[in-house]
Amino acid sequence: MKKQKPKPTNLLAQNKKAGHDYNILETYEAGIALSGTEIKSVRAGKVNLKDGFARIRNGEAWLENVHISPYKEGNQFNADPLRNRKLLLHKKEISKLTGVVQEKGTTLIPLRMYLKHGYAKVLIGVGQGKKLFDKRETLKRKDQDREMQRALKNARN
């Protein structure tokens, strides 16, 4: 049986569509630079990773198009919900990601956002876009696996 990765206990947001649209080749854990009211909103789970992506610019990693809702009690201290946020990675990781992203068809996608030791972390995946027939094949394989598990379960009972 396939060994599953342990899921973070403090999961705040998850990009479920990423697994459907991309083949995830590698994952990296990155910190994220947030303002005071943004971290409060993140801890409340007001994050949407659906259309987000990461980009390497001037030797720095940036998280773009991720919506963090304004904090309810933040009034004038709230930042723009869609602003670009800096990802905190080591230089070696950034240089490796720069080389990987320059290949045609690969992109950086935020997969999950969670809390680890009180800090907000983002799981970034290096993804390669799937074609329509790949998506159909994946769905077909999932259905077959599900049917097989049902048959095995019914055979045991």
Side-chain angles (χ1 to χ4, degrees), residues 37-50:
T37 56
E38 282 181 324
I39 188 65
K40 290 181 179 189
S41 190
V42 165
R43 285 189 175 137
K46 307 289 186 189
V47 182
N48 186 357
L49 299 173
K50 191 168 95 174

Side-chain angles (χ1 to χ4, degrees), residues 77-127:
F77 300 109
N78 281 328
D80 178 31
L82 287 174
R83 77 178 182 92
N84 299 339
R85 295 164 182 91
K86 189 174 181 179
L87 291 176
L88 308 172
L89 291 163
H90 292 281
K91 283 195 181 210
K92 286 182 182 178
E93 290 176 325
I94 291 174
S95 63
K96 188 175 179 183
L97 285 174
T98 303
V100 170
V101 171
Q102 287 180 355
E103 294 176 22
K104 188 177 180 188
T106 57
T107 186
L108 300 174
I109 310 128
L111 302 174
R112 294 187 184 103
M113 187 178 284
Y114 51 92
L115 291 176
K116 186 175 180 182
H117 305 296
Y119 295 105
K121 302 285 184 180
V122 179
L123 189 67
I124 299 292
V126 177

Side-chain angles (χ1 to χ4, degrees), residues 45-91:
K46 307 289 186 189
V47 182
N48 186 357
L49 299 173
K50 191 168 95 174
D51 296 327
F53 61 95
R55 183 179 285 166
I56 309 290
R57 269 188 281 146
N58 301 330
E60 295 178 334
W62 292 89
L63 188 63
E64 299 183 8
N65 211 23
V66 170
H67 189 277
I68 297 178
S69 297
Y71 185 58
K72 195 166 79 174
E73 283 86 30
N75 57 42
Q76 81 254 21
F77 300 109
N78 281 328
D80 178 31
L82 287 174
R83 77 178 182 92
N84 299 339
R85 295 164 182 91
K86 189 174 181 179
L87 291 176
L88 308 172
L89 291 163
H90 292 281
K91 283 195 181 210

